[in-house]
Amino acid sequence: MKGQFIRRITVAEYLVQRGLPADWRYGSWLGRVAAQIYRDTYRCEPGRAFRFINGRFRRVMAYRPAERHVLTEAWDHYGCYAERRPAPVARPRRTAPVWNGSGDSMRWTPTASPVRSHP
């Protein structure tokens, strides 16, 4: 098995395998819990891998398939708690007032109405 490529598992890939979206709102916290469990278990930092996220390649924590138990334990500690949290209240978006003018006073054109003041 020398020279064989072993794909590491990231938190986002683990979430997809569990049926959640890769950008699940608690994924970052789950990753922090998993990294802490890994540090407590193995007394070293977890491995890292490059993944394409939001238009850039970023280094993320990644675990070997034999270390998958870390992600499962992190899910047991934190993930199920986050899943039971109530959904956030949706707030309507505020929109800015619409301006139909150009905003450029140098391109002001006079109108037929009487001039009261200079723009």
Side-chain angles (χ1 to χ4, degrees):
M1 289 205 4
K2 191 172 186 178
Q4 185 179 11
F5 179 72
I6 297 175
R7 179 156 172 92
R8 293 178 173 262
I9 303 167
T10 64
V11 172
E13 293 163 354
Y14 179 77
L15 291 173
V16 168
Q17 292 172 358
R18 289 197 69 96
L20 293 165
D23 60 348
W24 185 53
R25 63 180 293 176
Y26 299 107
S28 177
W29 285 101
L30 184 69
R32 289 184 183 118
V33 171
Q36 188 59 45
I37 291 171
Y38 186 91
R39 289 181 196 110
D40 293 343
T41 304
Y42 295 104
R43 302 282 185 228
C44 63
E45 288 293 313
R48 296 197 177 240
F50 285 100
R51 296 293 186 265
F52 193 72
I53 302 170
N54 295 334
R56 289 181 51 192
F57 280 99
R58 301 176 191 268
R59 286 189 71 167
V60 296
M61 301 286 185
Y63 304 92
R64 291 182 295 216
E67 299 166 344
R68 184 184 180 91
H69 65 90
V70 171
L71 294 168
T72 305
E73 190 175 338
W75 177 262
D76 292 341
H77 282 301
Y78 181 79
C80 59
Y81 164 75
E83 199 172 52
R84 289 189 301 248
R85 290 182 56 122
V89 177
R91 294 188 178 108
R93 285 190 168 191
R94 290 194 284 171
T95 57
V98 177
W99 168 303
N100 294 329
S102 70
D104 187 1
S105 62
M106 298 305 290
R107 296 180 188 260
W108 175 77
T109 54
T111 60
S113 64
V115 177
R116 290 186 294 206
S117 65
H118 185 66

